[in-house]
Amino acid sequence: MAGVADQPWWQTAVVYQVYPRSFADTNGDGVGDLAGVTAHLDHLVRLGVDAIWLSPFYPSPMADFGYDVTDHTGVDPLFGDVADAERLIAEAHRRGIRVLVDFVPNHTSDQHPWFTESRSSRENPRRDWYLWAGPAPDGGPPNNWLSVFGGSAWTLDPATSQYYYHAYLAAQPDLNWRNPDVRTAQHDVMRCWLDRGVDGFRVDASRQLVKDALLRDNPPNPDYHPDLPPYDSLLPVHTTDRPEVLELLTGMRSVLDERRPDGVLLAEMYLPVERLAHYYGRNGDGVHLPSNMHLISTPYTAEAIGALVARYEAVLPAGAWPNWVLGNHDRSRVATRLGPAQARVAAMLLLTLRGTPIVYYGDEIGMTDVPVIDEQDPFAKLVPGLGVGRDPERAPMRWTPETHCGFCPPDVTPWLPIPETERAVNVETQDGDPNSMLTLYRSLIALRRSEPALTSGSYAQLCASDGVLAYRRAHVLVALNLTDEPRSVPASGVVRVGTHADRVGERVGPVLTLRADEGVVL
């Protein structure tokens, strides 16, 4: 077993995703800001995380809540200014916390100066910075490519009589990464933030970066059914996961290595694990951590999760490092998907599997999706009827049991609601409670820090049947009951951490009986 000292920091780290507009509001406008993140860094120190990933805070018209960027090197006044960003980075570093920022290379806002120039005329030098094409013979879009947000991925620009491509909103035109000037400009964005002290990037929409040069139609999806979003009616073989994507990500890796050799590149990729393995690069020169989202979508059974872990471990290239995600700003919260009791078991799974875990803000206190009547999410507005709006999982963090849970002043309306029924789930109430979710997260992360087997140890599956998932990390054994009925499994040892606090220190064996919804680390 390799020692922790021999590993890069990001392999032993717990990464914590912060959605800034929902973390803490310090200026009384009902929207979180960078100063609010800085003000709560000590919570993250007590939690035990090693790095934070900040979702976008760049200048933006907010058509897609910051993923439509008008200046990749600035800070939107809604969140503060560049000095606030630099202060946050410095204060995090002072506490031993690394900082990753969301890098949005695939597209810009349609109000970005680059696109303003690009659409001004067909002869403009920046025309080729974006994807433009003439109409089809019938005058319609160039091909059948669809937007993730519904409808055609092509929008006609009447002034120049050509269409531009957008994988997401029409307000988010895609950049043309085949153009070397685009690469240079975006690499300079990375250098700017590295010079400001960030420790790496989470690369948004990585699989979308290159599209088929011949603009061929995407084939129909034979497994499509009406319960799925319209985007899924086609197989995006010509618009995602193209052969050139790895080369582009390797280029980003080179920029990172040049400025910050100990930095980390985390890439958003909703892809099968076999394709995730591809993006580590040919010689480990690709992405450090291609995001593994499969715990979110895999059926929550011992058999399915056991098979997922085994398959993932089997396809990882030599030297590649795994990573795991339970939730994020685009998917329903784990406590809603699984229920509060199994969310505790899932937390133990996340924090004891081999690899780098990524924790979504609020999951450490068991936050659930918040009912939202007036959806602000553009996806919910453009693809109605599927029940997949993203506002419910983006609700404000809950710090106290007071009005608005300490997120914003009591006389201010937060940008998303915090129902009265949800106010009991907060940091202050759970702090010091041995049975709280917060205490469980702190205990699990503390055990990871103190026990090299959980950061460096091998993974060996012992059981994945009858509702029980059990595995060894070197000399540490993890046993999880994924059902609401008692289960037994052969195991011996002393309970170091349990989802039920009353078992800590208990010696068990040769058979371990797990209560309903219980997990233990021996």
Side-chain angles (χ1 to χ4, degrees):
M1 181 176 70
V4 173
D6 301 324
Q7 294 177 266
W9 67 266
W10 46 268
Q11 290 189 0
T12 62
V14 175
V15 179
Y16 183 95
Q17 182 189 354
V18 175
Y19 195 66
R21 68 183 299 122
S22 293
F23 206 59
D25 167 27
T26 62
N27 63 4
D29 64 357
V31 177
D33 42 54
L34 295 181
V37 181
T38 304
H40 288 283
L41 286 172
D42 288 340
H43 164 68
L44 303 181
V45 172
R46 290 199 65 196
L47 183 60
V49 302
D50 306 274
I52 55 174
W53 146 33
L54 298 166
S55 293
F57 49 79
Y58 311 115
S60 167
M62 300 296 164
D64 189 22
F65 293 103
Y67 282 97
D68 49 318
V69 180
T70 58
D71 178 2
H72 290 81
T73 61
V75 173
D76 194 284
L78 191 67
F79 301 114
D81 55 27
V82 170
D84 289 314
E86 292 176 334
R87 188 176 304 110
L88 168 54
I89 295 166
E91 287 298 316
H93 286 169
R94 191 169 68 83
R95 291 166 173 81
I97 296 175
R98 315 266 185 157
V99 179
L100 315 181
V101 295
D102 225 315
F103 177 43
V104 187
N106 179 68
H107 48 265
T108 69
S109 166
D110 62 349
Q111 297 180 37
H112 195 293
W114 296 347
F115 190 69
T116 301
E117 288 189 46
S118 182
R119 78 186 310 174
S120 65
S121 76
R122 294 194 186 189
E123 292 73 36
N124 188 276
R126 284 206 167 107
R127 185 68 168 185
D128 192 48
W129 281 42
Y130 293 83
L131 297 172
W132 292 93
D138 64 359
N143 58 28
N144 72 346
W145 295 353
L146 297 176
S147 162
V148 174
F149 285 82
S152 174
W154 296 96
T155 290
L156 179 65
D157 178 55
T160 59
S161 301
Q162 282 191 320
Y163 285 83
Y164 68 86
Y165 175 81
H166 49 91
Y168 298 95
L169 295 174
Q172 294 169 289
D174 278 38
L175 286 160
N176 176 18
W177 273 80
R178 296 182 189 276
N179 186 323
D181 291 337
V182 170
R183 300 190 194 192
T184 298
Q186 289 287 52
H187 289 172
D188 285 345
V189 169
M190 295 177 67
R191 292 185 181 100
C192 173
W193 284 106
L194 289 166
D195 289 346
R196 287 171 177 168
V198 303
D199 301 283
F201 301 92
R202 178 265 191 181
V203 185
D204 179 63
S206 298
R207 68 178 188 147
Q208 308 272 12
L209 284 171
V210 181
K211 293 79 182 174
D212 179 46
L214 301 178
L215 304 186
R216 289 172 289 184
D217 279 356
N218 278 326
N221 179 0
D223 298 322
Y224 179 73
H225 56 82
D227 291 338
L228 293 172
Y231 175 78
D232 293 336
S233 65
L234 301 176
L235 297 174
V237 297
H238 296 306
T239 47
T240 67
D241 193 24
R242 300 290 301 162
E244 304 92 338
V245 172
L246 177 59
E247 175 195 347
L248 298 180
L249 291 170
T250 300
M252 295 178 198
R253 169 71 180 273
S254 297
V255 173
L256 177 67
D257 289 348
E258 157 203 316
R259 283 287 206 279
R260 190 63 51 89
D262 66 340
V264 65
L265 209 59
L266 169 68
E268 180 192 30
M269 290 192 163
Y270 286 93
L271 292 171
V273 294
E274 292 78 9
R275 292 303 297 164
L276 293 181
H278 167 73
Y279 285 100
Y280 286 97
R282 299 175 185 86
N283 299 295
D285 57 354
V287 178
H288 296 97
L289 299 173
S291 291
N292 173 10
M293 313 287 195
H294 288 274
L295 283 181
I296 298 176
S297 56
T298 297
Y300 192 71
T301 67
E303 292 82 358
I305 293 176
L308 165 66
V309 179
R311 193 167 108 246
Y312 183 44
E313 288 278 358
V315 300
L316 287 173
W321 191 250
N323 69 95
W324 297 96
V325 180
L326 267 183
N328 60 31
H329 60 295
D330 289 331
R331 295 293 185 270
S332 178
R333 284 192 177 270
V334 61
T336 294
R337 301 195 314 266
L338 305 181
Q342 275 299 323
R344 299 172 69 91
V345 179
M348 184 168 285
L349 172 71
L350 175 71
L351 293 165
T352 59
L353 284 172
R354 193 176 79 93
T356 300
I358 302 172
V359 176
Y360 186 46
Y361 85 94
D363 281 355
E364 77 271 26
I365 56 173
M367 282 175 55
T368 53
D369 293 351
V370 168
V372 178
I373 296 174
D374 184 16
E375 288 267 14
Q376 300 183 50
D377 177 19
F379 188 87
K381 293 178 179 179
L382 294 169
V383 190
L386 294 175
V388 288
R390 300 169 296 177
D391 287 352
E393 61 263 25
R394 298 177 175 184
M397 181 65 176
R398 303 174 202 157
W399 300 103
T400 72
E402 301 163 354
T403 302
H404 305 324
C405 293
F407 166 73
C408 63
D411 59 341
V412 171
T413 301
W415 81 281
L416 284 176
I418 306 175
E420 291 292 318
T421 54
E422 305 294 324
R423 281 168 51 182
V425 178
N426 65 79
V427 172
E428 183 179 299
T429 300
Q430 293 190 19
D431 187 28
D433 177 358
N435 297 301
S436 71
M437 178 70 98
L438 180 58
T439 297
L440 175 62
Y441 263 86
R442 287 173 176 168
S443 299
L444 286 166
I445 294 173
L447 184 61
R448 281 181 61 89
R449 283 179 177 265
S450 65
E451 181 51 77
L454 291 176
T455 48
S456 307
S458 59
Y459 171 89
Q461 189 168 288
L462 303 177
C463 174
S465 62
D466 194 30
V468 175
L469 178 64
Y471 48 90
R472 283 195 177 277
R473 300 291 316 283
H475 61 274
V476 173
L477 187 147
V478 181
L480 308 172
N481 181 0
L482 277 59
T483 77
D484 59 2
E485 298 178 352
R487 291 288 189 270
S488 295
V489 62
S492 299
V494 176
V495 177
R496 300 284 300 277
V497 176
T499 54
H500 298 53
D502 59 355
R503 296 198 78 162
V504 175
E506 178 184 344
R507 181 171 292 278
V508 300
V511 174
L512 166 66
T513 299
L514 295 167
R515 290 171 286 192
D517 308 307
E518 183 176 35
V520 298
V521 181
L522 304 179

